[in-house]
Amino acid sequence: MNWKVVKISGENRGKNTPYASIGHNALNLNAAACDLIENYEDYGFVELLEAEENKKTFVGVKFCRESTNDTIKVARTKYKDKLVKGITIANKNTLTKLFGKDRVSGSVTRFPVNKDKDADNILVISL
């Protein structure tokens, strides 16, 4: 047989699309989402924010350099001694409050992510 490779665009893979994955007791931001924040690697903590606009709920992820009572330390995965792009935020109780028990404890659900137009260090997850 004469096989031909089926080309997959970057958009179909989700590689270039910023998204947040909620599930398995964690919030994961993919590399494309993190790249919306300039030098996101310099931030070691996040604050989680919530807002409602036009009857739609949003969760904000504010990148912080310093730890406070309301910040969560971000985790980064290593593969072959190199940090993988993207971050993981794990705080089951807070995530359950924001996203609901079924979304946090169950299988993974993806949500679109955008950069806040008014702040350079906040990502907005649309629920």
Side-chain angles (χ1 to χ4, degrees):
M1 285 191 196
N2 188 15
W3 293 106
K4 294 179 184 176
V5 175
V6 176
K7 300 293 181 188
I8 300 172
S9 76
E11 290 178 19
N12 289 341
R13 292 178 126 173
K15 233 178 171 179
N16 300 326
T17 305
Y19 65 83
S21 298
I22 312 298
H24 305 295
N25 300 320
L27 163 62
N28 293 290
L29 295 171
N30 75 339
C34 289
D35 284 341
L36 295 173
I37 303 293
E38 189 174 329
N39 299 317
Y40 80 91
E41 301 93 347
D42 295 341
Y43 297 91
F45 304 91
V46 295
E47 284 180 345
L48 297 176
L49 315 167
E50 57 184 335
E52 191 172 311
E53 189 175 286
N54 298 328
K55 297 185 181 181
K56 187 164 174 127
T57 304
F58 300 92
V59 172
V61 179
K62 181 180 178 183
F63 285 71
C64 304
R65 288 189 169 91
E66 303 289 324
S67 174
T68 68
N69 289 338
D70 296 319
T71 57
I72 301 168
K73 185 166 177 51
V74 299
R76 293 189 175 89
T77 304
K78 277 190 174 184
Y79 179 73
K80 294 186 180 182
D81 294 327
K82 290 186 179 180
L83 287 174
V84 175
K85 284 193 166 193
I87 64 168
T88 299
I89 301 161
N91 187 309
K92 183 179 177 180
N93 292 336
T94 303
L95 294 174
T96 299
K97 180 182 167 187
L98 289 170
F99 296 99
K101 183 179 179 180
D102 291 340
R103 285 183 177 151
V104 172
S105 299
S107 60
V108 176
T109 305
R110 284 187 181 177
F111 295 94
V113 173
N114 295 299
K115 186 174 178 182
D116 187 314
K117 62 183 178 221
D118 299 321
D120 288 335
N121 63 334
I122 298 177
L123 294 179
V124 178
I125 302 169
S126 305
L127 303 185

